[in-house]
Amino acid sequence: MTMETAWEAGTLGSPKGPQRLLFGQMHEDAEIERTAFEGKSRVFCIASAGSTALKLAEEHEVIACDINPVQLAYAERRANGAATMTGDAEKAMSFARAFMPLIGWGPGTVRTFLMLSDTGEQMAFWREHLDTLRFRAGLDVLLSRTVLRTLYAPQFLSCLPTGFGAVIRKRLERGFANHANASNPYARALLLGESCNDRTARVRKPQFVLGDAATLLESCAARSFDGFTLSNILDGAQPSYRSRLARAVRRAATDDAIVVLRSFAEPPVQLAVNYAERDRSMLWGVVDLRSAHTF
Ligand SMILES: C[S@@+](CC[C@H](N)C(=O)[O-])C[C@H]1O[C@@H](n2cnc3c(N)ncnc32)[C@H](O)[C@@H]1O
């Protein structure tokens, strides 16, 4: 494949065939962006399922872009009040949840856990009822290269750390130790498959633009955005794309602009501050929030 980014194919697996709806909702905590962009005006956002763009549009002028036309049209429909749909990512998560009874995670146990709001109690419950030998072995198999390779193109897997099952367990524990389950919609989405988004037509809507983020930013006016939220678009992109995107972001950024970028990779040693712990969706290795001029 000669594509600069595997996301261009619009599929998570084989790049053959039509582009698909990959994300019915976002597994990124938009509170990070809401806080980071406070007082800022114009924001560039990856559309994905639209969740972050819709949230940010309440306070900012939002340009929401996506390389996948199916995904962009879906995000726009959601801005007009359409219901949440199931994307390929949610189908894969639902497949994984189907094994819960087999590892001894009964629906009652999971729901009781999700009602807790004291993080100390959550950790005690996690250790006693959920972080079992069967859970650990099952997650290791589900997140092994052998299984992931059957679902995802190799470009999406190259950023993943070895022993991904154990790494994800650590991230989950970090999440449960820091965020109250009872008020965490992302924990319910992950463990029960519930939608974390309401269904209302928005008064203030993002402007939806089809295209690749770097190309769009290269063509926009210099110093025209105060914030950028780029999802994890570099997980699956070539190194040359990373450099091009960084140049385009710096050119399009106002003096105080902030950029937020997520990754499933483990944090590099040179990352001074990592906001991954604050993200209630719990899955990220890196939530990099920094001045756009050091991006
Ligand atoms: C990177 S994916 C990840 C989804 C995300 N982690 C979530 O929880 O929803 C989000 C969206 O980025 C889009 N995308 C990926 N690379 C892009 C690029 N270079 N330019 C524009 N959109 C891109 C994909 O099509 C997808 O809809």
Side-chain angles (χ1 to χ4, degrees), residues 4-12 20-29 44-52 65-72 89-90 156 209-216 230-237 241 244-245 262 264 281 283-284:
E4 257 189 307
T5 167
W7 293 107
E8 205 177 324
T11 63
L12 293 173
R20 298 175 55 85
L21 182 70
L22 306 182
F23 304 98
Q25 60 180 308
M26 288 179 72
H27 311 276
E28 302 180 18
D29 187 352
F44 182 90
C45 179
I46 294 298
S48 189
S51 322
T52 300
C65 118
D66 208 289
I67 203 168
N68 177 352
V70 180
Q71 203 65 56
L72 190 81
E90 289 79 31
F156 294 124
V209 186
L210 179 63
D212 151 58
T215 309
L216 286 169
L230 301 174
S231 184
N232 60 319
I233 64 170
L234 293 181
D235 291 348
Y241 184 79
R244 187 156 83 83
L245 180 68
R262 288 174 174 76
F264 278 118
S281 70
L283 300 173
W284 299 104

Side-chain angles (χ1 to χ4, degrees), residues 258-270:
I258 301 280
V259 60
V260 181
L261 177 77
R262 288 174 174 76
S263 175
F264 278 118
E266 279 288 85
V269 277
Q270 68 271 23

Side-chain angles (χ1 to χ4, degrees), residues 4 6 16 22 37 48 64 84 89 100 104 109 178 189 196 235-236 295:
E4 257 189 307
K16 294 191 194 101
L22 306 182
F37 298 159
S48 189
T84 309
M100 281 181 171
T109 312
N178 280 290
C196 35
D235 291 348
F295 185 56

